[in-house]
Amino acid sequence: MRWVFLLITLLAGTAHSATNEPVIKDFGLFYPVPDSDPIGQDMHFKIAFDVASGAPVGEQNNHINSLARFINMHVAHGVNPKNIALALVVHGDATQDVLKSSEYQARFAADNANASLIRQLLANNTQVYVCGQSAKHNNINAKQLLPGVRMALSAMTAHAQLQQQGYTLNPF
């Protein structure tokens, strides 16, 4: 009887710790690595990603997609999604990739392919900041940004504040 309890406990733990369903739908594809060192569902991540390169007009920004890949990959390998806190700091040409769809359409006559990705990231414990210096340089104000995207004084300021909050910087 004891082995039945152990088997049930192991199966329940496996079902809870990893999932085949991506957290961020339609983005963040990754390769499973079943022989990697275990991470564990109790691991906590607080990571800032810096994105300056914009995507070609109407295309997905693969650097922003890296946040979705990070979330999907780690959840699939056993990390509790509540233990993943990410921040995206956008500046340079990438500022266009966080524009509201209507603003993006008016500027480029194309749909913002990043809008759904940004919405899903925001819904999954990700903060998104745009550099106020880059925004002003590109004639962008806070009302033109996707809902939930916050205007920082600068990318440098956002990174300094995130580091003070315990975020590490993910290198690209």
Side-chain angles (χ1 to χ4, degrees):
M1 189 59 137
R2 183 177 168 156
W3 68 269
V4 172
F5 175 76
L6 181 60
L7 180 62
I8 290 170
T9 303
L10 287 172
L11 290 174
T14 302
H16 177 71
S17 66
T19 178
N20 291 332
E21 276 297 309
V23 175
I24 309 294
K25 310 274 189 255
D26 301 319
F27 301 98
L29 299 177
F30 65 93
Y31 293 102
V33 184
D35 54 346
S36 65
D37 288 343
I39 299 170
Q41 70 185 111
D42 292 333
M43 176 62 80
H44 286 74
F45 291 100
K46 284 182 84 171
I47 303 171
F49 291 74
D50 183 89
V51 176
S53 297
V57 171
E59 294 184 25
Q60 171 191 303
N61 187 316
N62 287 325
H63 292 296
I64 296 174
N65 187 49
S66 292
L67 283 80
R69 183 171 40 259
F70 187 94
I71 292 169
N72 288 345
M73 173 175 51
H74 285 87
V75 170
H77 285 84
V79 177
N80 185 330
K82 293 178 181 171
N83 294 347
I84 301 172
L86 303 182
L88 170 62
V89 179
V90 177
H91 58 103
D93 293 337
T95 56
Q96 69 189 22
D97 296 330
V98 295
L99 287 170
K100 282 183 185 174
S101 297
S102 58
E103 182 64 30
Y104 193 94
Q105 182 71 285
R107 287 179 184 230
F108 304 110
D111 292 329
N112 185 349
N114 300 289
S116 174
L117 171 57
I118 297 291
R119 268 193 306 278
Q120 290 186 69
L121 288 170
L122 287 165
N124 285 281
N125 207 19
T126 300
Q127 300 175 62
V128 180
Y129 297 94
V130 66
C131 170
Q133 303 303 302
S134 295
K136 293 301 179 189
H137 179 77
N138 290 297
N139 297 314
I140 296 172
N141 65 53
K143 293 178 183 176
Q144 296 169 315
L145 301 173
L146 287 164
V149 174
R150 298 165 64 181
M151 182 78 71
L153 175 60
S154 69
M156 295 179 287
T157 305
H159 280 298
Q161 291 174 315
L162 289 164
Q163 285 176 350
Q164 290 174 11
Q165 295 168 27
Y167 283 78
T168 60
L169 181 62
N170 188 79
F172 272 116

